[in-house]
Amino acid sequence: MTEHRYPHAKVHFGVFVQGVNHTTIWSDKDSGSQIDFATFREIAQTAERGLFDAFFLGEGLRLREQRGQIHELDIAGRPDAITELAALAAITSRVGLVATQNCTYNEPADLARRLSGLDLLSDGRAGWNAVTTDNAWTGENFRRGGYLDHQFRYDRARQFVQLAKQIWSGWTEDGGKEVEFRSSQFDVRLVPSLPPSPQGRPVIFQAGDSSAGRDFAAAEADVIFSAHGSDHADALAFADDIRGRLRSFGRPEEDIRILPATQVVLAERESEVAEKFDWVTRGQVTGQTALAMVSQVWGKDLSHLDPDGPLPSEDPVIAETSQTMGSGQGGRDPLAVAAGWRALAEEKGGLSIRELIVETATQRRTGFVGTAAQVADRMAHFVRSGACHGFNISPYIVPGGLDEIVDWLVPALQERGVYRTAYEGTTLREHLGLRPV
C-alpha cells in the first residue's frame, strides 16, 4: 500500500447531478423529475446535511444527438443551471453551488456577471465548471454555428477564464476600474458592475483530460473534476502529473483540489454487497439502454432488435463519424469492440445483448462498492496517499440516492477522522481549503 504522504488529509465530497443517462436508474419508481424543483431541493439539502463541499449541476445547451438523431435516453428540458442554483441559494446556507457553463458558446462579460451574481446571492458559495464543446449540433444553436477544433477550444477557454478573472478582480471601493482585454478570441472593454463576494470570486472547476485540458487546469483552475477515481494507481499517476504541471506554471503543488467523478454502491452487510451491485447495474442497463450502446458501436440504429436476443450477426458499419456529430464510439475500433463482445458473449454461455452490456459494466466496476466501512477505508487511502482530495458522487437514484452516502458513509469516514464533523467556514473556497484570492 502506498505510504500516506498526507496523513491528516480529509475527504471532500461533492454531488454531481448530471441528468438522465445510463448511470442513473431513471426508470425506477423512486426516480424524480429532472424539471421539478423539489428534486434539486432534496439533493442539495441532503448534501448540506452531509456536510458536502458542493452541489454540482451538469448542463447542456442543446438536446444530445447521435448520428444526427436526438438521443432519447438523455435529459430533456432541464432548467438553466444558474437559475436553478440561485433558487437553491435561498434554501441552503453552506453547501457550494457549482454551475457547468460553456466557454465555447458563451461570452465572458455576460457569463462573468451572471456567475458573480450567483456568488453574491449565495454569500460566496458559487463555483463554475468551465467546459468546452466540440459537437457541431450545439453550434447550430448559435449565430456563428459550427464548432472549434480541439486546440482552439482550449485557447478560447483559457482566454475566457483569464478575462473573467480580470472582471472579477476589477472592482474597487469607489466602483469598478476599466478592464481592457484583447486576444485572438476576444476584444472587450468594460467596467465591472458587481463587487466581489466573501470568497472573492467563484471557484473555477475544470474537467478536460487531454494534455491541453490538463495544462488549462494547471494554469487557471481551482478544482479538477477528473475521470481518475476508481483505480488507485491511475488516480495517483494523474494527481502526480497535475502536481508537475502546477509547478511548471509557478503554482504550489496543493493549489488545486482533485475531485474525481465516482459512483458509490453501499450495502449494510458484506454478504449483501454483490446482490446490491447487481441490482444497481441491472437497473442502469435497461433493454433500451443496451440497444443504444450496441447501436453506438455498430454505427446504425438497432432499436428494432430484441435486447434479450443475441448480438447482430453482421459487422459494424465503418463510416466516417466523429464526436462532433454525436458518435458514441469515443475513438474505439468498432470491429475490435464487436469481436471482443462476441467472444465474451460466447465465453459466458451465449449472453443476450442486455446481459452482455450488464457484464461489461460489471467488469469495469467503476467507483466504490462495499459496506460503508470498506468504502471509507478505501477512500481514506486515496486521499491520504495523494491520489485525490475527495470525490464528486453521482447518485444512481435521483434524488434519494444520496441518503445512503450521508447516513452510512459519512459517519464511517468521521469515525476514522477523515471527514469534517461540521462546516468550518461559510464559503465554497473555505470548504475546499483553497487559499484566498
Side-chain angles (χ1 to χ4, degrees), residues 244-262:
R245 291 174 193 257
L246 282 166
R247 291 193 297 270
S248 72
F249 283 101
R251 299 178 66 186
E253 285 188 1
E254 287 302 302
D255 217 28
I256 274 181
R257 299 290 175 263
I258 300 173
L259 301 181
T262 196

Side-chain angles (χ1 to χ4, degrees), residues 327-364:
S327 166
Q329 294 178 14
R332 299 175 297 174
D333 177 357
L335 290 175
V337 173
W341 281 0
R342 283 169 173 155
L344 179 61
E346 184 176 352
E347 175 190 338
K348 295 289 183 177
L351 297 178
S352 69
I353 290 173
R354 185 176 180 222
E355 289 170 336
L356 173 72
I357 299 302
V358 169
E359 177 67 22
T360 59
T362 302
Q363 289 182 351
R364 288 195 301 272

Side-chain angles (χ1 to χ4, degrees), residues 351-434:
L351 297 178
S352 69
I353 290 173
R354 185 176 180 222
E355 289 170 336
L356 173 72
I357 299 302
V358 169
E359 177 67 22
T360 59
T362 302
Q363 289 182 351
R364 288 195 301 272
R365 277 188 177 269
T366 57
F368 293 82
V369 180
T371 64
Q374 290 171 333
V375 172
D377 286 339
R378 191 169 168 224
M379 285 185 166
H381 175 52
F382 267 69
V383 168
R384 294 197 161 172
S385 64
C388 63
H389 297 89
F391 302 92
N392 220 4
I393 298 171
S394 292
Y396 53 82
I397 290 281
V398 172
L402 202 61
D403 288 311
E404 290 179 358
I405 310 297
V406 171
D407 296 335
W408 299 352
L409 181 57
V410 166
L413 290 166
Q414 290 171 331
E415 289 172 5
R416 289 157 175 75
V418 292
Y419 196 86
R420 64 170 62 101
T421 56
Y423 284 115
E424 298 171 1
T426 61
T427 70
L428 177 55
R429 186 168 295 275
E430 289 172 327
H431 300 338
L432 290 161
L434 295 167

Side-chain angles (χ1 to χ4, degrees), residues 141-154:
N141 278 18
F142 299 88
R143 183 175 62 182
R144 63 178 175 273
Y147 61 95
L148 292 173
D149 288 336
H150 192 274
Q151 174 189 350
F152 298 119
R153 285 165 46 207
Y154 281 110

Side-chain angles (χ1 to χ4, degrees), residues 24 44 71 86 124 133 137 159 216 226 236 244 252 293 320 325 356 394 408 413 418:
T24 302
H71 182 47
T133 296
W137 75 83
Q159 293 168 25
F216 171 38
S226 87
L236 185 59
M293 296 180 75
E320 186 175 343
M325 290 308 296
L356 173 72
S394 292
W408 299 352
L413 290 166
V418 292

